[in-house]
Amino acid sequence: MSVHARRVLSALVVAVGAALLSGCASSFGIPDGATEQGRDINDLWGRFFVASLIVGGITLALIVIAIVVFRRRRGDDALPRQSEGNVPLEIVYTAIPIAIVIVLWSLSMTTENRVLDVADDPDVSVHVEAFAWGWRFGYPQEGVELVSEPDTAGPQMVLPVGRTTRIRLTSDDVIHSFYVPDFLFKRDAVPGHVWEFDITPAETGVFEGTCAEFCGLNHAFMRFSVRVVEPAEYASWLRTAADAQAEQEATL
Amino acid sequence: MSITAERPKVGATPDPSHRRRGAIVEWLTTTDHKKLGVLYMCTAFFFFLVGGLLALGIRLELAEPGQQFFSSHTYAQMFTIHGTTMIFLFAAPFGLGLANYLVPLQIGAPDMAFPRLNALSYWLFAAGGLLIFLGFGASGGAAGAGWTGYAPLSEVRWTPGAGIDLWIIGLTLTSISGILTGLNLVTTVALLRAPGMTMWRLPVFTWDMLTTSVIILMAFPPVATALSLLLIDRRLGGHVYDAATGGDPILYQHLFWFLGHPEVYIVILPFFGVITEIIPVFSRKPLFGYFGFILATLAIAALSMTVWAHHMFTTGAVDNPFFSAMSMMIAVPTGVKFFNWIFTMWGGKISFKTPMLFAMGFLFNFLIGGVTGVILASPSIDFHVQDTYFLVSHFHYVMMGGAAFLVFAAIYFWFPKFTGIKLRESLGRLTFALMFVGFNLTFWPQFVVGLRGMPRRIVDYPSSLGYDTPNLVSSIGSGVLALGVLVFLIDLVVSLRRRVPAGGDPWGGYSLEWATSSPPPEHNFDRVPPIRSVRPTFDLRHPELADPGAGKEVSP
């Protein structure tokens, strides 16, 4: 490596490093995560993003340096030195990626274990049934059921903030996927299988949801939303919804 | 060999129409690996153009929120056939076509091991592609369940038309075609190498095709099985994937991705070979770390069979930690290749002819494809980005910015060998510039909308979610990309009209195909030069540099 190339390389490494440090506070393009699990995933994403920038930046810098420094000058017809390899260097550039991969995988697994951890005794339980093309949200203990109706924005699931909710997910027909981008989480709804996972909303608000697995003609319009409210408001909403449902059933 | 050399000349017949018919019959009945290679590549490139038009239709619909141009039904057919075409009818067959042409030349052989089987492979592939497109004429239209054809959506209850049946049969035929070509290539490399062409002197493209063939032989039978079982479900009353009657749709995904992921390497490995032929020639150096490169190729082949379920992290039905570890690990040999390419250029004297420009573009695009691939190997991050445009963008950086850019590199590099004439360097540069800018303009915004949560395969999106501007930019970019392809077609026409002879070795090539005439004679070589290293044609040009001891084992 020539002195010139070495100088350009170190300058680029410093520049990439500075860019990284200044960008660390943001979410790098994804939602912040409105659940505890989502915030965990957001942290992991930040780590992967920074690692990608460093590894990608160094590799890109090497490519650019090679292209710029070692371009053929006009009229230079002599052959360059015909080197065929360098075993120590080859071992180094194999070993470093292995180390990076081990670190990234370990980070992934600790996050995944926390995200998929299910509580022994969840505070709320919601049954989600996907069908072509809509959603059925059931609160079995209270006898409340919310179903998609044609030409609407989809049903709205209501959850209390700070409480653990157990989602029990399945599908009536083809494969769908329950996806709330602000929760940074999706899970496929597969006919014949029932999946259980917990979400713990960390902030109040209305969060858009959608089907993420192509399921036929109205896939793009198979939407829903989740409204996260204070526990007291949740309790009163649930009472009202249960009464309304009971009344409706009585009139039928 | 001598038999083909004595074939009577076609020009002996006086009637010109008769002569034309003779040429057509000859192309239809040929068993020559070069003609079949050209047929393969032309057919695959035709499918690329058709698949590209479908993509432009998709971008047109997504440019703005609201459903302006296509019904949901038409849109589903468009993205399904676009994906199927690009993967099964363009990218993989183009690599196989290139191998058909080049592998016998690179090992100093007169033809493939089984020429007639080779012709059968081509015609099975062409028939398979035709059947898939015939679906557009069927009642209910062409297949519209996504290129992955997930059951139970692809079951007859949900998608009753004949389009999916034609899609299944077409894909099965192309799978059989791939298996036969794989067998043919393995046998050819094993048995037909010229004297002196040891395994450690094989050009990298041939090594990569050999490895690809082995992956094909492992991966294509399961997908043929998956599709056949689906056809049994659909037409013969089977219940393999039907949960209501005791079947399991997850099984389909396992069988499909057991092909589907190795398929990525079936597509990309031949083009790893392509770029590894191109970078050393234009850097005027040997490949840096040949042995390590081959080991990395073999490692990718082995690991490629253990990563399929990373497509299924969000199903909740697979062992995420295992498949995550394997998927991340496959980045290591891929990274090794990157360093092979970089350090080949390092200390070289690089000239930026069009093939090299496309190779540089590949390095940039594939770096982004590779880095996002490692991100996608993390299951928790997948919980957010799986089945969003982040994923769509990632695999286009691998398939389009990666493999397809190297299709163009390969065309610019070997077109003089195939035809004996040169393509225009100025138009080539323009093609590259438009394609590079257009490609990145198309797919960079898709990372942005994907991270915001826009799912793939939707015909429309609400305007309130921040998807509008990136989608518009992406659609504009696809127009620039298409313009680049158009300039390439103009280049083809101009170059074929006003011919500039290329000569046998226009680039100062290294491997054996550059040691014969352009185009090569029917039997490929009048005389195979001595093979004393991995660069026999280079040794011929630079006898002063050839290793004096290396050739001893070939003396009779």
Side-chain angles (χ1 to χ4, degrees), chain A residues 70 72 82 108 112 186 188, chain B residues 320 350 378 383-384 386:
Chain A
F70 300 106
R72 179 170 166 248
Q82 301 291 296
S108 285
E112 191 189 3
K186 72 171 66 67
D188 295 354
Chain B
N320 289 6
I350 309 167
S378 171
F383 294 159
H384 177 45
Q386 157 76 353

Side-chain angles (χ1 to χ4, degrees), chain B residues 83-90 93 125 147 171 220 256 259 263:
Chain B
T84 304
T85 302
M86 291 308 199
I87 300 278
F88 291 105
L89 305 180
F90 162 59
F125 153 64
W147 79 274
L171 281 185
F220 269 135
F256 184 85
L259 156 96
E263 170 76 18

Side-chain angles (χ1 to χ4, degrees), chain A residues 162-177:
Chain A
R163 301 281 196 270
T164 302
T165 299
R166 168 74 41 84
I167 305 277
R168 226 171 155 271
L169 177 68
T170 191
S171 165
D172 279 0
D173 36 51
V174 299
I175 300 175
H176 304 274
S177 190

Side-chain angles (χ1 to χ4, degrees), chain B residues 130-146:
Chain B
L130 191 67
L131 279 181
I132 291 168
F133 273 89
L134 277 180
F136 281 109
S139 71

Side-chain angles (χ1 to χ4, degrees), chain B residues 440-460:
Chain B
N440 281 288
L441 208 56
T442 307
F443 291 102
W444 194 259
Q446 295 188 8
F447 280 132
V448 175
V449 280
L451 290 176
R452 288 177 188 169
M454 179 171 164
R456 67 195 291 201
R457 294 169 175 170
I458 55 174
V459 63
D460 187 20

